[in-house]
Amino acid sequence: MNRQQSHTQDIFPSVVGHHEIKEHLQAALVHDTISHAYLFEGMEGIGKRTLARQFAKALLCTQPLEGHRPCGKCVSCQTIASGNHPDVIYLNAGEKASISVETIREGLVQDMSVMPYRSRFKVYIVEEAHRLTVQAQNAMLKTIEEPPEYGVILLLATNIQNFLPTILSRCVRLRFVPLPYGTIGQALTERYGVSEEKAALCAAFSQGALGRAMELAASEEFGALRQELSRFLIELPTKKESDVLQFEDFFEQHKDQQEQIFGLLLLWFRDLLVWKEMGDERWILNRDMQSAIVDSSAIYSRGELMTILSVIGDIQDKLKRNGNYSLAVDWLLLNMVRRTMH
Ligand SMILES: [Zn+2]
């Protein structure tokens, strides 16, 4: 981060992190070596779309600042910000599971044969490009190989498994790596006014994607889920085996949020272990529940906490591979019972 600040101002200050990618794009702007096709690769919520929009601004800005920074004030920048610029075209799957050959033929291939309305470039932002069908990719192949001078295609994808090698070889590939949790927490508090306690928790949950952290910070559902789960966890050591098993219902009701539930469980028991090992509240992520963490931590032995954490980790792996959710829940609850009933 300091490296970026040392030699020039951040070209896209509204995008948190991703300095190497920004530098690459800035160099292309400064040296006028813009490629006709870029592939932005990275997980959901990591900032691909935000950066694509900023790059489009930089390409089309009529009054760029030093270092090709978009001014943010000209008509071009403002219409891009509101999503209404005629030379910035968004393509996506819409309601469908994949991006069809028709969408690409009409929206990209034919459209690109028409000159830009009022700019030097025409920018095509293909969202969730990993959903392009093989036919759609084949349809854009010729355009990507011999684009008009003004055509710039930005493919945004979470992974590249479905791309044809012929498409990949024509794109400049830019990989978005997860942001450090500290950077995310800081962005949440400084830019979006989220409390520090909440920011730390949402950052820990984001897997390094700021968009995800922001979604969680704004989600009432997530807050409610966490409250309910915490109540159960706080009372867990005092419950009878039959009470614990009855908690199956809660897991069933929130089956759609299984990823969040197991993530929260992992954080909870992680905090118990961290407190036990270090006794330092700065390392607790559930900061607003600090006293409950301290109390619960005393009830378990280090070994018991390690076992529960490894069971939760195993379950997360299994669920990622489409394992049976109900079985996983039962397994976890039984483990918790075994650990806590003496
Ligand atoms: Zn501008």
Side-chain angles (χ1 to χ4, degrees), residues 1 16-21 41-48 158 174-185 203-213:
M1 203 182 288
V16 176
H18 307 308
H19 293 291
E20 282 181 15
I21 295 176
E41 182 192 354
M43 73 171 102
E44 187 85 47
I46 201 158
K48 304 186 293 295
T158 55
L174 298 173
R175 284 198 60 218
F176 286 61
V177 295
L179 299 175
Y181 293 165
T183 305
I184 290 184
F205 242 80
S206 65
Q207 295 176 12
L210 179 60
R212 235 176 137 126

Side-chain angles (χ1 to χ4, degrees), residues 195-210:
S195 73
E196 262 182 47
E197 281 176 356
K198 198 172 181 184
L201 184 83
C202 294
F205 242 80
S206 65
Q207 295 176 12
L210 179 60

Side-chain angles (χ1 to χ4, degrees), residues 61-62 71-72 74 77:
C61 181
T62 55
C71 75
C74 69
C77 280

Side-chain angles (χ1 to χ4, degrees), residues 46-92:
I46 201 158
K48 304 186 293 295
R49 196 169 187 276
T50 316
L51 191 49
R53 186 176 284 214
Q54 293 304 316
F55 185 44
K57 277 189 193 172
L59 286 169
L60 305 185
C61 181
T62 55
Q63 287 153 328
L65 308 173
E66 193 210 331
H68 273 265
R69 281 182 292 135
C71 75
K73 291 179 187 148
C74 69
V75 175
S76 181
C77 280
Q78 295 210 338
T79 40
I80 292 173
S82 63
N84 295 319
H85 198 295
D87 295 323
V88 179
I89 297 104
Y90 289 88
L91 298 163
N92 53 52

